[in-house]
Amino acid sequence: SGKTSLAPILSSKLGYTPLELDDATLRVLGEMSVNDAWQHHGEAGFRAAAAAALRDALSKDNLVIACGGGTPTAPGATAMLTAAQESGKATIVYLRGTIETLQDRLRQSGVANRPGLTGSDPSSEVPMLFMKRDPLYMSIASCTVAIDGQTVDETVENIGWMLDASDEDGAATR
């Protein structure tokens, strides 16, 4: 969806530090790639490490966290994200695109370091994952930003508008 590209730009504009949660998860596991982590620890081990990395990240201030796509499915992650949001510590932005946009972006980013959940090409899994995860993402998001046809800079600008609206209204537009 563009989380990895957007986090450094948004964090620079906010004066925050970017954090790629998949990288933090790999550090927890002592692995060099997501493929290695999945081979050595399986999906359950990776998700547990993602939850630990998220817990650590949420304990810090002034971060823009680029969560992995499966982060909200990690044990306890949804509760941690929701609690951080409800306490005013976090704003959760859902970068929402069509299945086609998500597939295109996944292909453009390269999928060599991304394991498929079903053993298939990761881009072919997008429709199934979208249908499964979209309701979860929508339920925990402070705001949702449409990414279809948007450049990285346009998306960052849209996020800024959403965050400004959130500050003025006391609650983000959903």
Side-chain angles (χ1 to χ4, degrees):
S1 63
K3 300 178 298 287
T4 299
S5 299
L6 291 167
I9 297 166
L10 185 59
S11 63
S12 176
K13 288 184 178 289
L14 295 171
Y16 288 7
T17 302
L19 175 71
E20 179 67 40
L21 197 67
D22 279 351
D23 292 343
T25 301
L26 293 176
R27 286 191 294 276
V28 168
L29 293 171
E31 298 290 351
M32 297 299 293
S33 74
V34 174
N35 269 342
D36 289 346
W38 279 63
Q39 275 188 342
H40 300 143
H41 305 276
E43 181 179 2
F46 185 85
R47 298 286 182 229
L54 179 63
R55 185 175 299 103
D56 180 61
L58 291 172
S59 74
K60 299 174 180 159
D61 293 326
N62 302 325
L63 292 178
V64 173
I65 304 168
C67 291
T71 298
T73 68
T78 297
M80 283 186 271
L81 290 165
T82 301
Q85 178 179 238
E86 289 174 352
S87 71
K89 177 139 174 87
T91 299
I92 302 168
V93 178
Y94 174 23
L95 303 176
R96 189 171 194 261
T98 63
I99 290 169
E100 294 78 17
T101 295
L102 298 172
Q103 286 175 316
D104 287 344
R105 290 190 177 190
L106 187 58
R107 284 186 204 107
Q108 289 171 11
S109 71
V111 294
N113 67 342
R114 296 174 191 250
L117 295 176
T118 63
S120 299
D121 167 37
S123 66
S124 69
E125 296 176 339
V126 170
M128 178 264 308
L129 290 174
F130 181 86
M131 298 305 287
K132 182 178 178 182
R133 293 177 178 172
D134 183 62
L136 173 61
Y137 296 168
M138 293 293 286
S139 74
I140 64 172
S142 305
C143 59
T144 300
V145 176
I147 61 168
D148 298 310
Q150 300 290 305
T151 66
V152 169
D153 289 335
E154 289 168 334
T155 303
V156 168
E157 187 174 333
N158 290 337
I159 292 169
W161 289 338
M162 291 282 197
L163 295 177
D164 287 345
S166 173
D167 288 344
E168 290 171 10
D169 298 342
T173 303
R174 289 183 188 250

